[in-house]
Amino acid sequence: MTDAAAAPAERAPGKKGLLIPLAATLVLGGVGFASTYLGIWSPAGMLAGTPEPEVSTEHLSVEFIDVPTIEIVIPGGRARSLVLSATIETDSTHKAEVSHLMPRVSDAFTTFLSGVDPAAYDKRGVLEVIRAELVTRTRYVLGEEPVKDLLITEFRFK
């Protein structure tokens, strides 16, 4: 009897004792998954010991090629015309290809601009929409790699 009275009763772990490690595991697992999913770090990269990425010198070989000025009569009651000048940003390796295909780029621009609703030109933000569409058409004609960006240098109504 003295043995039973001297030994304190051991309590079985309750639900609270299991909840804290379970919650910590879920939170840390979620943070780890999110950080690898977002590309902050890579477990495979750490194991492989990948070297630091090389710094590219692409910005040193940037070339700007002018798109011929496009002038389009805007249909509608008012006698207005749109004048657009743009420049394609590329690199020196693709300069000849872009220059060679410039008539196709000019045709794509003219086709798009003549199909825009005349009322759209009066809306706010039309320049951003037109620029995005022209970039898409430029990349369709030239491909993704040659086209770094499209700069609109003139956009006016006459």
PDB file of all heavy atoms in Angstrom, residues 20-44:
ATOM      1  N   ILE A  20      -1.070  21.548 -29.501  1.00  0.00           N
ATOM      2  CA  ILE A  20       0.023  22.497 -29.745  1.00  0.00           C
ATOM      3  C   ILE A  20       1.044  21.934 -30.745  1.00  0.00           C
ATOM      4  O   ILE A  20       1.393  22.603 -31.712  1.00  0.00           O
ATOM      5  CB  ILE A  20       0.678  22.921 -28.414  1.00  0.00           C
ATOM      6  CG1 ILE A  20      -0.329  23.747 -27.613  1.00  0.00           C
ATOM      7  CG2 ILE A  20       1.959  23.704 -28.664  1.00  0.00           C
ATOM      8  CD1 ILE A  20       0.132  24.094 -26.221  1.00  0.00           C
ATOM      9  N   PRO A  21       1.549  20.705 -30.594  1.00  0.00           N
ATOM     10  CA  PRO A  21       2.484  20.189 -31.602  1.00  0.00           C
ATOM     11  C   PRO A  21       1.829  20.017 -32.972  1.00  0.00           C
ATOM     12  O   PRO A  21       2.471  20.256 -34.002  1.00  0.00           O
ATOM     13  CB  PRO A  21       2.922  18.836 -31.043  1.00  0.00           C
ATOM     14  CG  PRO A  21       2.638  18.893 -29.586  1.00  0.00           C
ATOM     15  CD  PRO A  21       1.482  19.811 -29.436  1.00  0.00           C
ATOM     16  N   LEU A  22       0.564  19.636 -32.998  1.00  0.00           N
ATOM     17  CA  LEU A  22      -0.136  19.484 -34.267  1.00  0.00           C
ATOM     18  C   LEU A  22      -0.285  20.823 -34.971  1.00  0.00           C
ATOM     19  O   LEU A  22      -0.023  20.941 -36.172  1.00  0.00           O
ATOM     20  CB  LEU A  22      -1.510  18.832 -34.038  1.00  0.00           C
ATOM     21  CG  LEU A  22      -2.346  18.594 -35.293  1.00  0.00           C
ATOM     22  CD1 LEU A  22      -1.643  17.613 -36.209  1.00  0.00           C
ATOM     23  CD2 LEU A  22      -3.724  18.103 -34.925  1.00  0.00           C
ATOM     24  N   ALA A  23      -0.671  21.866 -34.250  1.00  0.00           N
ATOM     25  CA  ALA A  23      -0.822  23.199 -34.833  1.00  0.00           C
ATOM     26  C   ALA A  23       0.528  23.731 -35.313  1.00  0.00           C
ATOM     27  O   ALA A  23       0.626  24.317 -36.398  1.00  0.00           O
ATOM     28  CB  ALA A  23      -1.450  24.151 -33.821  1.00  0.00           C
ATOM     29  N   ALA A  24       1.580  23.532 -34.534  1.00  0.00           N
ATOM     30  CA  ALA A  24       2.909  23.992 -34.925  1.00  0.00           C
ATOM     31  C   ALA A  24       3.384  23.281 -36.190  1.00  0.00           C
ATOM     32  O   ALA A  24       3.975  23.904 -37.089  1.00  0.00           O
ATOM     33  CB  ALA A  24       3.903  23.767 -33.794  1.00  0.00           C
ATOM     34  N   THR A  25       3.096  21.996 -36.298  1.00  0.00           N
ATOM     35  CA  THR A  25       3.479  21.232 -37.481  1.00  0.00           C
ATOM     36  C   THR A  25       2.753  21.751 -38.713  1.00  0.00           C
ATOM     37  O   THR A  25       3.360  21.928 -39.777  1.00  0.00           O
ATOM     38  CB  THR A  25       3.171  19.737 -37.279  1.00  0.00           C
ATOM     39  OG1 THR A  25       3.860  19.275 -36.122  1.00  0.00           O
ATOM     40  CG2 THR A  25       3.584  18.924 -38.483  1.00  0.00           C
ATOM     41  N   LEU A  26       1.469  22.003 -38.585  1.00  0.00           N
ATOM     42  CA  LEU A  26       0.693  22.505 -39.718  1.00  0.00           C
ATOM     43  C   LEU A  26       1.148  23.899 -40.147  1.00  0.00           C
ATOM     44  O   LEU A  26       1.291  24.176 -41.341  1.00  0.00           O
ATOM     45  CB  LEU A  26      -0.796  22.518 -39.377  1.00  0.00           C
ATOM     46  CG  LEU A  26      -1.466  21.151 -39.266  1.00  0.00           C
ATOM     47  CD1 LEU A  26      -2.911  21.299 -38.805  1.00  0.00           C
ATOM     48  CD2 LEU A  26      -1.411  20.424 -40.603  1.00  0.00           C
ATOM     49  N   VAL A  27       1.395  24.779 -39.199  1.00  0.00           N
ATOM     50  CA  VAL A  27       1.827  26.140 -39.525  1.00  0.00           C
ATOM     51  C   VAL A  27       3.198  26.121 -40.191  1.00  0.00           C
ATOM     52  O   VAL A  27       3.406  26.751 -41.235  1.00  0.00           O
ATOM     53  CB  VAL A  27       1.834  27.026 -38.260  1.00  0.00           C
ATOM     54  CG1 VAL A  27       2.546  28.345 -38.522  1.00  0.00           C
ATOM     55  CG2 VAL A  27       0.414  27.286 -37.790  1.00  0.00           C
ATOM     56  N   LEU A  28       4.149  25.416 -39.617  1.00  0.00           N
ATOM     57  CA  LEU A  28       5.487  25.363 -40.199  1.00  0.00           C
ATOM     58  C   LEU A  28       5.500  24.671 -41.554  1.00  0.00           C
ATOM     59  O   LEU A  28       6.223  25.070 -42.463  1.00  0.00           O
ATOM     60  CB  LEU A  28       6.456  24.681 -39.233  1.00  0.00           C
ATOM     61  CG  LEU A  28       6.760  25.465 -37.949  1.00  0.00           C
ATOM     62  CD1 LEU A  28       7.628  24.634 -37.024  1.00  0.00           C
ATOM     63  CD2 LEU A  28       7.418  26.779 -38.270  1.00  0.00           C
ATOM     64  N   GLY A  29       4.703  23.642 -41.710  1.00  0.00           N
ATOM     65  CA  GLY A  29       4.593  22.975 -43.014  1.00  0.00           C
ATOM     66  C   GLY A  29       3.996  23.904 -44.062  1.00  0.00           C
ATOM     67  O   GLY A  29       4.434  23.936 -45.213  1.00  0.00           O
ATOM     68  N   GLY A  30       2.985  24.665 -43.680  1.00  0.00           N
ATOM     69  CA  GLY A  30       2.379  25.622 -44.609  1.00  0.00           C
ATOM     70  C   GLY A  30       3.341  26.719 -45.011  1.00  0.00           C
ATOM     71  O   GLY A  30       3.414  27.105 -46.183  1.00  0.00           O
ATOM     72  N   VAL A  31       4.117  27.223 -44.068  1.00  0.00           N
ATOM     73  CA  VAL A  31       5.101  28.260 -44.368  1.00  0.00           C
ATOM     74  C   VAL A  31       6.190  27.699 -45.285  1.00  0.00           C
ATOM     75  O   VAL A  31       6.617  28.351 -46.243  1.00  0.00           O
ATOM     76  CB  VAL A  31       5.705  28.827 -43.066  1.00  0.00           C
ATOM     77  CG1 VAL A  31       6.917  29.697 -43.348  1.00  0.00           C
ATOM     78  CG2 VAL A  31       4.660  29.621 -42.305  1.00  0.00           C
ATOM     79  N   GLY A  32       6.635  26.501 -45.031  1.00  0.00           N
ATOM     80  CA  GLY A  32       7.649  25.880 -45.886  1.00  0.00           C
ATOM     81  C   GLY A  32       7.144  25.650 -47.297  1.00  0.00           C
ATOM     82  O   GLY A  32       7.842  25.923 -48.276  1.00  0.00           O
ATOM     83  N   PHE A  33       5.904  25.160 -47.412  1.00  0.00           N
ATOM     84  CA  PHE A  33       5.328  24.944 -48.740  1.00  0.00           C
ATOM     85  C   PHE A  33       5.173  26.255 -49.489  1.00  0.00           C
ATOM     86  O   PHE A  33       5.529  26.364 -50.659  1.00  0.00           O
ATOM     87  CB  PHE A  33       3.973  24.245 -48.629  1.00  0.00           C
ATOM     88  CG  PHE A  33       3.250  24.141 -49.935  1.00  0.00           C
ATOM     89  CD1 PHE A  33       3.621  23.203 -50.875  1.00  0.00           C
ATOM     90  CD2 PHE A  33       2.216  25.011 -50.236  1.00  0.00           C
ATOM     91  CE1 PHE A  33       2.969  23.118 -52.096  1.00  0.00           C
ATOM     92  CE2 PHE A  33       1.552  24.935 -51.448  1.00  0.00           C
ATOM     93  CZ  PHE A  33       1.934  23.985 -52.380  1.00  0.00           C
ATOM     94  N   ALA A  34       4.648  27.271 -48.804  1.00  0.00           N
ATOM     95  CA  ALA A  34       4.429  28.564 -49.454  1.00  0.00           C
ATOM     96  C   ALA A  34       5.742  29.188 -49.908  1.00  0.00           C
ATOM     97  O   ALA A  34       5.828  29.744 -51.002  1.00  0.00           O
ATOM     98  CB  ALA A  34       3.685  29.507 -48.504  1.00  0.00           C
ATOM     99  N   SER A  35       6.787  29.078 -49.094  1.00  0.00           N
ATOM    100  CA  SER A  35       8.055  29.691 -49.473  1.00  0.00           C
ATOM    101  C   SER A  35       8.704  28.980 -50.663  1.00  0.00           C
ATOM    102  O   SER A  35       9.319  29.619 -51.503  1.00  0.00           O
ATOM    103  CB  SER A  35       9.010  29.722 -48.282  1.00  0.00           C
ATOM    104  OG  SER A  35       9.339  28.407 -47.880  1.00  0.00           O
ATOM    105  N   THR A  36       8.555  27.684 -50.754  1.00  0.00           N
ATOM    106  CA  THR A  36       9.106  26.992 -51.924  1.00  0.00           C
ATOM    107  C   THR A  36       8.232  27.203 -53.147  1.00  0.00           C
ATOM    108  O   THR A  36       8.730  27.321 -54.258  1.00  0.00           O
ATOM    109  CB  THR A  36       9.263  25.480 -51.668  1.00  0.00           C
ATOM    110  OG1 THR A  36       8.013  24.936 -51.270  1.00  0.00           O
ATOM    111  CG2 THR A  36      10.300  25.215 -50.621  1.00  0.00           C
ATOM    112  N   TYR A  37       6.927  27.284 -52.961  1.00  0.00           N
ATOM    113  CA  TYR A  37       6.012  27.513 -54.079  1.00  0.00           C
ATOM    114  C   TYR A  37       6.241  28.894 -54.686  1.00  0.00           C
ATOM    115  O   TYR A  37       6.194  29.065 -55.900  1.00  0.00           O
ATOM    116  CB  TYR A  37       4.561  27.369 -53.611  1.00  0.00           C
ATOM    117  CG  TYR A  37       3.548  27.528 -54.709  1.00  0.00           C
ATOM    118  CD1 TYR A  37       3.320  26.503 -55.613  1.00  0.00           C
ATOM    119  CD2 TYR A  37       2.828  28.709 -54.859  1.00  0.00           C
ATOM    120  CE1 TYR A  37       2.401  26.635 -56.627  1.00  0.00           C
ATOM    121  CE2 TYR A  37       1.914  28.852 -55.868  1.00  0.00           C
ATOM    122  CZ  TYR A  37       1.688  27.820 -56.753  1.00  0.00           C
ATOM    123  OH  TYR A  37       0.784  27.972 -57.766  1.00  0.00           O
ATOM    124  N   LEU A  38       6.506  29.892 -53.848  1.00  0.00           N
ATOM    125  CA  LEU A  38       6.748  31.244 -54.330  1.00  0.00           C
ATOM    126  C   LEU A  38       8.167  31.432 -54.865  1.00  0.00           C
ATOM    127  O   LEU A  38       8.498  32.471 -55.400  1.00  0.00           O
ATOM    128  CB  LEU A  38       6.483  32.249 -53.208  1.00  0.00           C
ATOM    129  CG  LEU A  38       5.021  32.341 -52.764  1.00  0.00           C
ATOM    130  CD1 LEU A  38       4.907  33.251 -51.551  1.00  0.00           C
ATOM    131  CD2 LEU A  38       4.148  32.848 -53.887  1.00  0.00           C
ATOM    132  N   GLY A  39       9.018  30.443 -54.736  1.00  0.00           N
ATOM    133  CA  GLY A  39      10.364  30.500 -55.290  1.00  0.00           C
ATOM    134  C   GLY A  39      11.374  31.211 -54.418  1.00  0.00           C
ATOM    135  O   GLY A  39      12.423  31.626 -54.896  1.00  0.00           O
ATOM    136  N   ILE A  40      11.085  31.365 -53.150  1.00  0.00           N
ATOM    137  CA  ILE A  40      12.020  32.022 -52.248  1.00  0.00           C
ATOM    138  C   ILE A  40      13.260  31.152 -52.055  1.00  0.00           C
ATOM    139  O   ILE A  40      14.379  31.649 -52.018  1.00  0.00           O
ATOM    140  CB  ILE A  40      11.336  32.345 -50.902  1.00  0.00           C
ATOM    141  CG1 ILE A  40      10.213  33.366 -51.143  1.00  0.00           C
ATOM    142  CG2 ILE A  40      12.331  32.863 -49.887  1.00  0.00           C
ATOM    143  CD1 ILE A  40       9.343  33.625 -49.932  1.00  0.00           C
ATOM    144  N   TRP A  41      13.071  29.876 -51.970  1.00  0.00           N
ATOM    145  CA  TRP A  41      14.181  28.944 -51.850  1.00  0.00           C
ATOM    146  C   TRP A  41      13.749  27.604 -52.430  1.00  0.00           C
ATOM    147  O   TRP A  41      12.585  27.347 -52.641  1.00  0.00           O
ATOM    148  CB  TRP A  41      14.636  28.812 -50.405  1.00  0.00           C
ATOM    149  CG  TRP A  41      13.634  28.151 -49.512  1.00  0.00           C
ATOM    150  CD1 TRP A  41      12.491  28.696 -49.032  1.00  0.00           C
ATOM    151  CD2 TRP A  41      13.664  26.808 -49.038  1.00  0.00           C
ATOM    152  NE1 TRP A  41      11.814  27.788 -48.270  1.00  0.00           N
ATOM    153  CE2 TRP A  41      12.513  26.617 -48.264  1.00  0.00           C
ATOM    154  CE3 TRP A  41      14.549  25.751 -49.193  1.00  0.00           C
ATOM    155  CZ2 TRP A  41      12.225  25.413 -47.638  1.00  0.00           C
ATOM    156  CZ3 TRP A  41      14.263  24.559 -48.567  1.00  0.00           C
ATOM    157  CH2 TRP A  41      13.117  24.398 -47.795  1.00  0.00           C
ATOM    158  N   SER A  42      14.723  26.758 -52.702  1.00  0.00           N
ATOM    159  CA  SER A  42      14.440  25.458 -53.294  1.00  0.00           C
ATOM    160  C   SER A  42      15.235  24.391 -52.555  1.00  0.00           C
ATOM    161  O   SER A  42      16.465  24.462 -52.492  1.00  0.00           O
ATOM    162  CB  SER A  42      14.824  25.459 -54.773  1.00  0.00           C
ATOM    163  OG  SER A  42      14.763  24.155 -55.291  1.00  0.00           O
ATOM    164  N   PRO A  43      14.541  23.380 -52.023  1.00  0.00           N
ATOM    165  CA  PRO A  43      15.279  22.305 -51.364  1.00  0.00           C
ATOM    166  C   PRO A  43      16.200  21.570 -52.332  1.00  0.00           C
ATOM    167  O   PRO A  43      17.317  21.210 -51.976  1.00  0.00           O
ATOM    168  CB  PRO A  43      14.184  21.377 -50.843  1.00  0.00           C
ATOM    169  CG  PRO A  43      12.938  22.177 -50.830  1.00  0.00           C
ATOM    170  CD  PRO A  43      13.097  23.210 -51.874  1.00  0.00           C
ATOM    171  N   ALA A  44      15.763  21.368 -53.553  1.00  0.00           N
ATOM    172  CA  ALA A  44      16.601  20.681 -54.531  1.00  0.00           C
ATOM    173  C   ALA A  44      17.836  21.508 -54.868  1.00  0.00           C
ATOM    174  O   ALA A  44      18.924  20.975 -55.068  1.00  0.00           O
ATOM    175  CB  ALA A  44      15.805  20.394 -55.802  1.00  0.00           C
TER     176      ALA A  44
END
